[in-house]
């Protein structure tokens, strides 16, 4: 397979001044929001989508920007984790173990530097995987019919619901809520209104941007408000952000192994950066054995999860782009953005929109280099952002969220909706119901229904078509397995810590 | 052990909602045959998932979440939600800049800031956003009926 030629063309796209600027803005915004409480990549992407639509940005440029935020946020996340022991998202929980320990020992500088180096390593090494696996998966998925797509989506929901929350019931409820929100509006096939309560304003359906910003951003503002009443942690100063040659060399194989693990886990739906960082950390602990002092400030305990979660972010782009089936809340929002720009991710994407796929790949190389250059000398600047008072930051987050919602339909009604979703999101968080399956449901639900109904039309109403191909049966098997796995694991008490960590893992 | 735990109530609400949704979906009739299963199948499937999840929660509720205690926190949350709803109502008449300044001032107070800095930050932020979105990106934001009627 010839990948060199299209890759060169991809660099041609990525190196256009406008796209370079978008990659830069993306990773800068990503680093900032990854670090700050109350925003996170999913909110930043959701807020920017209506703006990219309104500004008429080309799809490949928009994707470069949104992807930059996505992988850039993994970097920023580690800054607040290492310095404050406040992991912005669950994928950094493991980094805190050794990272914050190093800060307490006065070695915050090397820890931050190693997290930047490992993130760069994981982020760039995994792009090779993307270059080779994505076309391969696409050529395989080209044979998928509606029945196989339906099965694949069932698998994506099952994997996300079972891994994102620690209870099956709550995963089911979240998935159902998402699917139902996705059906609101005129049914595209029969044109009858569903769940609109006679409101013409709902005929176009619930925009996923409104749902996402409500459930994540607005509810987070309320959540931070609750924490503020308990007081804010303030970052201290950091020395030189440098890792010694010896530390870097000693972490090299850790980064290689963790990047491979992270990439493979990232490709799986539902798993994402959280599981990737946990598995990488646990396996490094095994591999190094007595040579490591994990949990007591071992720099490799920072390198492993950071390389893994950045590799996972790249891996997650594969199912998104080649199958059109995202595996997490954040990639679901990116799918929504692509669909809104009339780009349909799927097996034909690489062939039909090479500038988009290869441009993104090339921009990810460039973006990771920008991140490394930004992060090593500029950490001090980012820390200053971290010290901004909450009374200044949170009203700004709220106002930005409302502007983005208003920009979708220029409707004040949407502002009321988003407030309602904010309250709902806060209550669901309190009840430990995962939010990511809801977003997946809103974005993927209509596609899932379309494939189901198309399959049933092909078979003239015979339900057995859904279970007629080996690919579909395998996918249902995997779905069942992922739903039952946490229950079995709990029975065996094999790895309670995995369940603990993944219970917080709704955003990555 | 308390009998009415939050999760049990949430599960009950889910089950009731599932029944209501299934009943509403029954009315999704199409006069002509578009496809064999029609627009009802997916809502029914989702209602079944919702009902099942709700039933499990009712039977086996988890630990009580840490709801904010009555007092300043609850009051702050109520004020925040109220200010969001008021913002939705007022953005048309007052226009984006004025409504956003007001919202941000109230929120700054809620988040423990002082009145004047909050007002200044809100005014500056909404002004910058107006320039950025309306002049820079061409996103239409409401000017405000109060300002357009006189001119």
């Amino acid at each position: 397979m010839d990948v060199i030629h299209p890759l060169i063309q991809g660099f041609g796209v990525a190196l256009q001044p406008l796209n370079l600027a978008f990659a830069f803005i993306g990773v800068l915004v990503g680093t900032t929001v990854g670090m700050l409480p109350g925003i996170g990549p999913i909110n930043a992407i959701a807020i920017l989508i209506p703006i990219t639509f309104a500004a008429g940005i080309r799809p490949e440029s928009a994707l470069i920007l949104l992807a930059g935020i996505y992988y850039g946020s993994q970097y920023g996340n580690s800054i607040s984790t290492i310095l404050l022991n406040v992991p912005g998202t669950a994928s950094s929980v493991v980094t805190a173990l050794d990272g914050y320990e190093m800060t307490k020992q006065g070695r915050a500088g090397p820890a931050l530097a190693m997290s930047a180096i490992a993130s760069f390593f994981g982020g760039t090494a995994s792009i090779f995987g993307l270059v080779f696996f994505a076309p391969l998966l696409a050529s395989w998925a080209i044979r998928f019919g509606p029945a196989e797509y339906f099965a694949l989506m069932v698998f994506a929901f099952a994997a996300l619901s079972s891994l994102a929350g620690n209870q099956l019931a709550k995963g089911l409820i979240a998935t159902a809520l998402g699917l139902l929100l996705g059906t609101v509006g005129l049914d595209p096939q029969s044109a009858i209104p569903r769940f609109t309560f006679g409101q013409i304003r709902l005929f176009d359906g619930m925009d996923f941007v409104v749902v996402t910003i409500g459930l994540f951003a607005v509810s987070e503002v309320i959540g931070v408000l609750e924490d503020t009443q308990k007081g804010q942690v303030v970052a201290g100063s950091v020395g030189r952000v440098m890792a010694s040659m010896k530390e870097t060399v000693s972490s090299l194989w850790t980064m290689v192994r963790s990047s491979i693990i992270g990439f493979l886990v990232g490709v799986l739906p539902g798993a994402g950066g959280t599981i990737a960082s946990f598995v990488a950390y646990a396996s490094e602990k095994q591999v190094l054995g007595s040579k490591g002092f994990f949990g007591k400030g071992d720099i490799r305990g920072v390198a492993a999860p950071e390389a893994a979660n950045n590799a996972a972010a790249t891996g997650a782009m594969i199912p998104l782009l080649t199958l059109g089936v995202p595996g997490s809340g954040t990639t679901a929002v990116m799918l929504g953005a692509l669909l809104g720009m009339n780009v349909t991710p799927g097996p034909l994407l690489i062939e039909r929109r090479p500038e988009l796929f290869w441009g993104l790949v090339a921009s990810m190389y460039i973006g990771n280099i920008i991140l490394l250059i930004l992060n090593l000398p500029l950490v001090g600047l980012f820390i200053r952002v971290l010290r901004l008072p909450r009374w200044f930051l949170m009203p700004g987050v709220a106002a930005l969220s409302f502007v983005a919602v208003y920009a979708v339909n220029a409707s004040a009604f949407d502002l009321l909706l988003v407030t309602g979703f904010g309250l709902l999101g806060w209550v669901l968080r309190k009840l430990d119901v995962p939010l990511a399956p809801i977003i997946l449901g809103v974005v993927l639900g209509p596609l899932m229904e379309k494939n189901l109904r198309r399959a049933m039309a092909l078979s003239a109403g015979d339900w057995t078509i859904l279970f007629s191909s080996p690919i579909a049966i395998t996918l249902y098997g995997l779905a069942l397995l992922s739903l039952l796995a946490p229950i079995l694991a709990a029975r065996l008490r094999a790895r309670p810590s995995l369940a603990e960590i993944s219970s917080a893992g709704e955003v990555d | 052990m308390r009998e009415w735990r939050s999760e049990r109530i949430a599960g009950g609400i889910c089950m009731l909602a599932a029944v209501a949704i299934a009943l509403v979906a029954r009315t999704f009739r199409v006069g002509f045959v578009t496809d064999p299963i029609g627009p009802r199948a997916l809502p029914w499937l989702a209602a079944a998932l919702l009902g099942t999840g709700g039933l499990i929660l009712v039977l086996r509720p988890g630990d009580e979440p840490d709801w904010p205690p009555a007092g300043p926190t609850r009051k702050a949350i109520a004020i925040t939600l109220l200010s969001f709803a008021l913002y939705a109502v007022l953005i048309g008449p007052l226009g984006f800049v004025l409504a956003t300044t007001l919202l941000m001032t109230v929120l700054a107070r809620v988040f423990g800031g002082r009145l004047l800095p909050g007002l200044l930050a809100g005014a500056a932020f909404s002004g910058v956003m107006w320039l950025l979105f309306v002049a820079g990106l061409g996103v239409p934001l409401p000017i405000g009926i109060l300002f357009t009627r006189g001119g």
Side-chain angles (χ1 to χ4, degrees), chain A residues 120-180:
Chain A
F120 174 76
F121 193 94
T124 43
S126 56
I127 297 172
F128 290 99
L130 179 65
V131 165
F132 289 98
F133 278 103
L136 216 63
L137 194 64
S139 63
W140 176 67
I142 227 155
R143 285 173 295 174
F144 276 29
E148 284 80 13
Y149 266 112
F150 180 74
L152 182 65
M153 293 175 192
V154 169
F155 173 48
F157 277 111
L160 189 62
S161 318
S162 67
L163 288 168
N166 51 358
Q167 282 186 44
L168 180 62
K170 292 170 183 174
L172 290 179
I173 291 171
T175 304
L177 283 177
L179 289 175
L180 287 166

Side-chain angles (χ1 to χ4, degrees), chain A residues 140 143-155 455 463-480:
Chain A
W140 176 67
R143 285 173 295 174
F144 276 29
E148 284 80 13
Y149 266 112
F150 180 74
L152 182 65
M153 293 175 192
V154 169
F155 173 48
W463 286 94
T464 54
I465 190 173
L466 295 178
F467 307 94
S468 60
S469 85
I471 294 176
I473 294 170
T474 311
L475 288 166
Y476 289 124
L478 288 172
L480 201 64

Side-chain angles (χ1 to χ4, degrees), chain A residues 51 54 169-170 176 180 187 190 192 194-195 218 221 225 391 394 398 402-403 406-407 412 415 419 423 430-431 453 456-457 461, chain B residues 7 21 28 30 35-36 38-39 42 46 50 53 65-66 76 80-81 84 87-88 96 107-108 110-111 113 117 133 137 139-140 142:
Chain A
I51 297 167
K170 292 170 183 174
L180 287 166
D187 169 35
S190 64
I192 65 156
R194 294 192 290 185
F195 305 115
V218 176
V221 170
L225 176 62
W391 68 261
M394 297 318 291
F402 285 136
V403 175
Y406 192 85
L415 295 177
T419 306
L423 180 62
K430 281 283 174 192
L431 291 169
R453 285 162 82 171
M456 297 307 288
Chain B
E7 296 212 345
I21 287 159
F28 299 159
V30 262
D35 58 300
L42 195 88
L50 190 64
D66 55 334
T80 306
L81 285 170
F84 289 169
Y87 181 72
F96 172 80
L107 288 181
V110 172
F111 275 92
F133 284 92
L137 295 167
V139 178

Side-chain angles (χ1 to χ4, degrees), chain A residues 50-51 54-55 150 167-170 172-177 179-180 183 187 189-195 218 221-222 224-226 228-230 390-392 394-400 402-404 406-407 410 412-413 415-416 419 422-423 426-427 430-433 445-446 448-449 452-454 456-463 491, chain B residues 6-7 10-11 14 20-21 24-25 27-30 32 34-43 45-47 49-50 52-54 56-57 60 62-63 65-68 72-73 76-77 80-81 84-89 91-92 96 100 103-105 107-114 117-118 121 125 129 133 137-142:
Chain A
I51 297 167
F150 180 74
Q167 282 186 44
L168 180 62
K170 292 170 183 174
L172 290 179
I173 291 171
T175 304
L177 283 177
L179 289 175
L180 287 166
T183 62
D187 169 35
Q189 295 190 46
S190 64
I192 65 156
R194 294 192 290 185
F195 305 115
V218 176
V221 170
I222 305 173
V224 173
L225 176 62
E226 238 185 314
T228 305
Q229 307 279 337
K230 297 171 195 158
R390 293 265 167 90
W391 68 261
F392 180 77
M394 297 318 291
V397 173
L400 261 179
F402 285 136
V403 175
Y406 192 85
F413 176 69
L415 295 177
L416 278 178
T419 306
L423 180 62
W426 179 72
V427 172
K430 281 283 174 192
L431 291 169
D432 212 12
V433 174
M448 188 174 176
E449 185 175 25
L452 175 65
R453 285 162 82 171
R454 201 175 274 172
M456 297 307 288
L458 284 175
S459 72
D462 181 5
W463 286 94
R491 284 273 152 81
Chain B
S6 300
E7 296 212 345
C14 287
I21 287 159
V24 172
T27 64
F28 299 159
R29 286 172 207 278
V30 262
F32 50 96
T34 43
D35 58 300
I37 57 171
R40 297 185 213 169
L42 195 88
L45 179 76
L49 291 178
L50 190 64
T52 313
I56 300 174
L57 279 193
R60 300 185 59 188
D63 295 335
D66 55 334
W67 298 109
T73 311
I77 292 172
T80 306
L81 285 170
F84 289 169
L86 270 179
Y87 181 72
V89 176
I91 191 169
F96 172 80
T100 308
L103 173 76
M104 289 182 68
T105 312
L107 288 181
R109 286 291 292 147
V110 172
F111 275 92
R114 283 180 297 141
F125 198 80
M129 279 206 288
F133 284 92
L137 295 167
V139 178
L141 295 174

